[in-house]
Amino acid sequence: MTHFPSPAEELRVLDSELRQLDARRGFLLARRAWLMNALYAPSSAPPPAAPPVRRPEATAPSVQNVLLILGGVLLTVAAIAFTLVSWGHMGIAGRALVLGAVTVAALGTPVPLLRRGLRSTAETVSGLGLALTVLDAYALHEVAFTGADGTGYAAAASAVLAAMWAAYGLGLGALVPRAADTDSAITRTALGLPLPLALVAAQLPFLLWSFAMNAGVQTVTAVVLVTAAADTAIALRVSLKPVRIVAVVGASGWGAWGVLAAGWLSWAAAGPSAAARAAALLALAAAIALTTAWLAPKPTLALGTAVAGGLLAVTGLGGIARAVLPDVWTVPGYLLCGIALLATVRTSAPEPVRRGLAHASAVVQALALATALPVVAIALLGPVSRLERIWSGAPEDARAAVTLDVPWPPNTATVPLMLAVVAGVLTLTARTASWRTQALVGAFVLAWATALVLPAVLELPYTAGLVAHGLLCVATLAFAGLARSAQTQRLRAPLPLTGALLALVTSLNLALHSLATEPVTLTVLAASTVLFAAAAWRTGLGPLTAPASLVHATALTCAIGASAGWEPQHTALLVLAVPAVAALVAARLGASPMTIPVEAAGAAAGLLAIALSATHPPLLALTLALCGVIAAGTAVRPERRAVGYASAALFVLASWVRLAVWEVGSPEAYTLPVTVPALVVGHLRRRRDRTTSSWTAYGPGLAVTLVPSLVAAWGDEHWLRPLLLGSAALAVTLLGARHRLQAPLLLGGAALALVTLHELAPYIAQVVDALPRWVPPALAGLVLLALGATYEQRLRDARRMRDMLGKLG
């Protein structure tokens, strides 16, 4: 008896099954023990839930405060109504006695209340008394000072009320002292309402007085700033929180009003004297801000107010310079004032103040650079319009070369100076700053922008502008190479990378400038090609400069073809020299970082050549074939074997285009040149790797020919193509059967069956027409019945097998 499997293998399986049964038995026993414990363990009933407790929706202090506030408001409203409505029903003595008595009673009642510990009630009654003093002032004006000016009287009354309320608050603190929460005498107050209200009233006297005196805008602005200064001093010196809140709000509001008014006066100043007066106001605002920054306890507040103070000082001094100097020097004047703020960095001021002034200087410099951006943008992007006017003639000067479609901004003579000055500031700052590299990069970019806009600003001759841009490109490349050699060996370092990118931008700008005339275009493109090739060879900037050289070379070949009067399809053949050179250079470079960029630039040039020749099919076929040759040469390198697929595709496309030129309509002429090499490659691959599937080796090649030929055969009325296709399909099927290959067997068999069906289709149609109408449904029913019976038989066999296995268990 032959054992299957072997005894050793069966013994191993039995041991494994027994181990699994032991493990399962252990798990079931442990589960049983846990269930027994859970079932017979004494259960403890959960404690009864406590009945829900209804909690009050409002706390006692909140109820008390609401009642007191509501009562105080109602009493105040009643007092106002009495004063305004019922005043006329009483005499002078009666009115004075009633209102005075109520006021004295309201102001005196908080003393016994405070001694009894009723502080909230005392606050409410004191608020009522303070409101009554306002009504007393109104009544006094209506009775004793009827002829006084309303605004002036309001100014005097607000001053008196502020003094009285402050004295009242401090007096209550002396009569009923609070707990010693601070050492300052001004904060020892029993109530928290009188002093903040006194400060609120103190905001009005000076402003109302200026209105009463019909003061001008400058006087009103000075009054507002003085009020803001007073509020600032109180906010910095007083520790009582309600008073500080009022002071901070007042300082912020009055300060913003005063700063906006002073800034408007500075901008609208018609002469030096008006500008000086506005500058004095801005200097006062700056002094307030800087004092706050100097004394502020929080570094964030000190930093913000120092920035504001620096900007205000620059606005004032710049306004004077603007009134004295011509318009072209307006922005440089503000810029120089902003740079002067950097002198405070080395003073003994607190660190947040120095840092805030440095930030203010940076803001001024950034705004100055923003005004120069339009000039830089026009100098950089203006030549793009030259693409629509190629070789239309040299412009008058460098400015005309960049203002083809846009106007030149006014007052731009100082733009290069501003760019250079900020670049110098960044260079000097980089000596000690922690962000040294970023400062050097910014200075480098600004220096480049200065040189870029200088020819257009100075309106240099066209040729001189071209020379200047060429020298700028050379200098930028040289600086990038030196920076890479001196600081790092990596191109990705900020300075070398920035220099290489700026050189590319400059060369592109120079190339656009050169499109004005034919000789200049050829000269500039040739020089740029040589320059970037030399930079790739002599410096470490190859990954950027090598493809840039190829791009310029591509443009040069197009320009040469246009200069010679060639058609685009003929120029395409000249452009192919660039991908050929790129392939040779990449083969020489090996694993260098320049290899991939060079190959990418060469591939782009090849695509351009194909696009140029697309309108001429014969030359398109030649171009595709030459591109295929270049790709095949690249695929010779071991690390570029995958390019061989692209080479094959290019050759196939070239052959197809050539066949289309010859007006060949047979699909086999297009598919067989692909099928034969594909089958040869697949055969070689299977010989080298026996695990390769026949679908991988032969499937694509066979499908490329069989499918198009089969489609053509179904629409062909002649017998030759079906005969040849059927013979070929039969041969493929027999070869697949002989060598037991699935892909040839199935593809060839399917093609043979479809060709046979196509040839027998007329006879099948005749037979179908001759059959009765009930025959097709009957045949379909029989097929379905047979399928159902087969399915039922398989299910029955499966059940029998299950029952047999169950008996064995």
Side-chain angles (χ1 to χ4, degrees), residues 36 59 149 177 280 295 312 338 377 418 437 490 559 637 680 694 801:
M36 293 291 291
T59 62
D149 177 65
L295 302 176
L312 291 172
M418 291 189 298
T437 302
R490 296 181 296 109
R637 295 156 51 195
V680 172
S694 64
M801 180 63 67

Side-chain angles (χ1 to χ4, degrees), residues 559-578:
I560 291 174
S563 177
W566 294 352
E567 295 293 330
Q569 59 269 20
H570 298 101
T571 305
L573 300 178
L574 183 60
V575 173
L576 286 178
V578 176

Side-chain angles (χ1 to χ4, degrees), residues 436-488:
R436 181 173 183 271
T437 302
Q438 293 83 349
L440 290 177
V441 170
F444 183 27
V445 173
L446 291 176
W448 170 83
T450 303
L452 181 70
V453 303
L454 195 59
V457 171
L458 298 180
E459 297 184 82
L460 296 179
Y462 173 67
T463 306
L466 291 176
V467 173
H469 283 86
L471 294 177
L472 175 61
C473 185
V474 174
T476 307
L477 271 179
F479 179 82
L482 292 175
R484 184 185 181 278
S485 301
Q487 293 186 353
T488 178

Side-chain angles (χ1 to χ4, degrees), residues 197-476:
L197 289 180
L199 184 57
V200 171
Q203 309 293 314
L204 302 176
F206 288 108
L207 182 63
L208 294 175
W209 169 81
S210 63
F211 289 160
M213 298 299 293
N214 294 323
V217 178
Q218 294 178 345
T219 304
V220 174
T221 304
V223 168
V224 169
L225 291 175
V226 168
T227 306
D231 287 334
T232 303
I234 294 173
L236 292 173
R237 301 298 298 176
V238 177
S239 60
L240 191 62
K241 189 174 180 179
V243 177
R244 292 184 62 186
I245 293 175
V246 174
V248 169
V249 173
S252 302
W254 298 121
W257 182 1
V259 166
L260 291 176
W264 177 81
L265 290 173
S266 177
W267 184 257
S273 59
R277 290 191 295 271
L281 295 174
L282 290 170
L284 175 59
I288 298 171
L290 293 176
T291 303
T292 304
W294 198 287
L295 302 176
K298 296 182 179 180
T300 305
L301 177 61
L303 178 64
T305 51
V307 171
L311 293 177
L312 291 172
V314 170
T315 304
L317 295 177
I320 296 176
R322 174 175 170 271
V324 175
L325 300 175
D327 292 341
V328 71
W329 291 98
T330 298
V331 178
Y334 284 102
L335 176 61
L336 293 178
C337 295
I339 294 174
L341 291 177
L342 295 176
T344 61
V345 174
R346 298 184 180 276
T347 61
S348 59
E351 192 273 338
V353 177
R354 290 184 279 113
R355 190 151 49 95
L357 292 177
H359 288 177
S361 176
V363 170
V364 174
Q365 295 179 58
L367 293 175
L369 292 179
T371 62
L373 282 180
V375 178
V376 178
I378 292 175
L380 189 60
L381 303 177
V384 175
S385 301
R386 183 64 63 181
L387 292 172
E388 300 176 355
R389 304 174 178 86
I390 297 178
W391 297 347
S392 58
E396 297 179 359
D397 50 40
R399 181 178 297 183
V402 298
T403 54
L404 298 174
D405 294 329
V406 294
W408 185 256
N411 300 324
T412 58
T414 56
V415 167
L417 176 62
M418 291 189 298
L419 295 173
V421 167
V422 178
V425 171
L426 288 176
T427 304
L428 295 176
T429 305
R431 295 180 178 180
T432 57
S434 58
W435 38 280
R436 181 173 183 271
T437 302
Q438 293 83 349
L440 290 177
V441 170
F444 183 27
V445 173
L446 291 176
W448 170 83
T450 303
L452 181 70
V453 303
L454 195 59
V457 171
L458 298 180
E459 297 184 82
L460 296 179
Y462 173 67
T463 306
L466 291 176
V467 173
H469 283 86
L471 294 177
L472 175 61
C473 185
V474 174
T476 307

Side-chain angles (χ1 to χ4, degrees), residues 550 554 574-585 598 601-607 609 627 630 634:
L550 293 176
T554 304
L574 183 60
V575 173
L576 286 178
V578 176
V581 172
L584 295 175
V585 172
V598 166
L607 292 177
C627 290
I630 297 172
T634 303

